[in-house]
């Protein structure tokens, strides 16, 4: 009887120990993995205003005129224009990080012209003239640019544009003097200055510099070709005259103001809570 009671007690103790062990053991929960949110790369876009000031190294491609009658057209013996400053502005749109375009208008300040022609004064006296006038130009251009990536605060770019220039010439003052006696000169003749619209194109290269999130400085180089056109009118058996166009190499500095260039702060989101193991 005693053995039976002892065996029953032992069995009950083992069963309760096994039950306690089963209750006490809890497998470690698996950590919760949360996928990182996708981060979209923001692309710069939006409207901007620009302003530029530059210095242009100008080269006239020549000039010609009708001499004596409209049947005889001859070239100027010499012709050149001076360098000058230019001022411009425009509005543009940044399409993405690599492509933008703008419409610009600029004014080329007075560029002095000096030329000479050779012919006859009176009946048979050979003479040389000295011709003086001034040119200015107003140019409207549609441009496109490729930004070549941003390095720290610098973004180099290349670009090109097409448009038109209104070139305006002042009165041409022509004074002819005898070759044999340069002090013997005819009275100065004035030819009415002409103006005309011409085709123009340009190529650019430079870099923009981030000053603030809205303001970018811009420094660069520009090559422009302007077609020829009317230069001066007829007076005393001379004219009209035409210039053959000109090219210009210019350096400029300016700035662009970008609307909405500053990023909007993102609301803070706390990270997901991790499981706590006890």
């Amino acid at each position: 009887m005693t053995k039976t009671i002892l065996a029953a007690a032992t069995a009950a103790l083992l069963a309760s120990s096994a039950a306690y062990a089963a209750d006490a053991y809890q497998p470690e929960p698996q950590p919760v993995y949360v996928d990182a949110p996708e981060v979209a790369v923001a692309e710069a876009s939006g409207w901007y205003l620009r302003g530029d000031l530059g210095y242009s190294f100008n080269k006239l491609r020549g000039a010609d005129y009708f001499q004596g009658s409209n049947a005889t057209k001859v070239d100027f013996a010499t012709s050149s224009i001076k360098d000058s400053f230019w001022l411009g502005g425009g509005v543009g749109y940044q399409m993405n990080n690599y492509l933008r375009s703008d419409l610009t208008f600029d004014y080329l300040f007075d560029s002095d012209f000096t030329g000479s022609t050779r012919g006859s004064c009176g009946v048979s006296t050979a003479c040389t003239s000295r011709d003086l006038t001034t040119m200015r130009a107003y140019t409207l251009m549609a441009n496109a640019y490729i930004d070549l990536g941003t390095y720290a605060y610098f973004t180099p770019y290349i670009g090109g544009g097409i448009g038109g220039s209104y070139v305006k010439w002042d009165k041409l003052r022509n004074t002819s003097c005898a070759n044999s006696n340069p002090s013997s000169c005819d009275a100065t003749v004035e030819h009415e200055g002409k103006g005309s619209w011409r085709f123009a194109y340009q190529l650019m290269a430079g870099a923009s510099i981030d000053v603030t999130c809205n303001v970018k400085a811009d420094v660069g180089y520009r090559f422009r070709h302007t077609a020829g056109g009317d230069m001066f009118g007829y007076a005393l058996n001379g004219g009209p005259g035409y210039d053959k166009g000109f090219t210009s190499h210019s350096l400029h500095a300016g700035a662009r103001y970008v609307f909405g260039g500053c990023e909007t702060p993102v609301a803070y989101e706390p990270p997901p809570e991790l499981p706590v193991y006890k």
Side-chain angles (χ1 to χ4, degrees):
M1 183 68 177
T2 303
K3 291 181 178 180
T4 303
I5 294 172
L6 182 61
T10 301
L13 180 62
L14 290 175
S16 63
S17 298
Y20 175 78
D23 292 338
Y25 173 74
Q26 294 292 336
E28 292 187 3
Q30 296 297 318
V32 177
Y33 295 98
V34 178
D35 293 336
E38 294 184 0
V39 178
V41 178
E43 291 199 345
S45 63
W47 294 96
Y48 63 84
L49 296 176
R50 68 176 301 159
D52 301 281
L53 175 65
Y55 190 76
S56 182
F57 301 90
N58 304 313
K59 182 177 177 59
L60 190 69
R61 301 181 55 147
D64 53 22
Y65 70 106
F66 287 99
Q67 184 183 57
S69 70
N70 287 346
T72 306
K73 193 176 185 181
V74 296
D75 288 333
F76 273 71
T78 62
S79 58
S80 65
I81 54 176
K82 297 287 188 180
D83 304 331
S84 56
F85 285 96
W86 62 270
L87 181 67
V91 59
Y93 188 79
Q94 182 89 39
M95 301 173 194
N96 53 46
N97 289 336
Y98 302 100
L99 186 62
R100 57 188 170 89
S101 63
D102 56 35
L103 186 68
T104 57
F105 179 81
D106 62 66
Y107 172 68
L108 180 70
F109 290 88
D110 289 357
S111 178
D112 293 335
F113 168 88
T114 302
S116 65
T117 63
R118 296 187 179 94
S120 61
C121 301
V123 179
S124 59
T125 302
C127 64
T128 299
S129 72
R130 177 175 171 82
D131 301 84
L132 302 175
T133 185
T134 300
M135 176 203 75
R136 64 190 64 88
Y138 308 83
T139 303
L140 184 66
M141 281 280 179
N143 310 290
Y145 310 85
I146 298 175
D147 291 329
L148 303 176
T150 300
Y151 308 90
Y153 297 101
F154 296 86
T155 303
Y157 66 83
I158 56 175
I162 58 173
S165 288
Y166 183 79
V167 178
K168 181 67 177 71
W169 290 94
D170 287 341
K171 289 181 179 180
L172 179 81
R173 293 172 174 82
N174 171 279
T175 305
S176 299
C177 300
N179 293 343
S180 58
N181 183 9
S183 62
S184 176
C185 303
D186 291 340
T188 297
V189 178
E190 289 188 349
H191 297 259
E192 180 187 4
K194 296 292 187 179
S196 60
W197 279 100
R198 299 102 175 274
F199 173 75
Y201 70 86
Q202 60 189 22
L203 302 172
M204 298 86 73
S208 58
I209 306 163
D210 294 336
V211 179
T212 69
C213 54
N214 286 112
V215 178
K216 297 179 183 291
D218 191 301
V219 293
Y221 160 81
R222 183 187 74 191
F223 167 81
R224 176 179 290 175
H225 175 267
T226 305
D230 297 336
M231 186 176 178
F232 59 88
Y234 171 86
L236 292 181
N237 294 323
Y242 309 90
D243 71 82
K244 298 181 180 181
F246 61 96
T247 58
S248 60
H249 301 267
S250 69
L251 301 175
H252 73 267
R256 302 199 307 270
Y257 181 85
V258 182
F259 294 95
C262 298
E263 295 182 358
T264 304
V266 179
Y268 171 74
E269 293 184 4
E273 295 184 2
L274 297 177
V276 178
Y277 302 106
K278 296 183 178 179

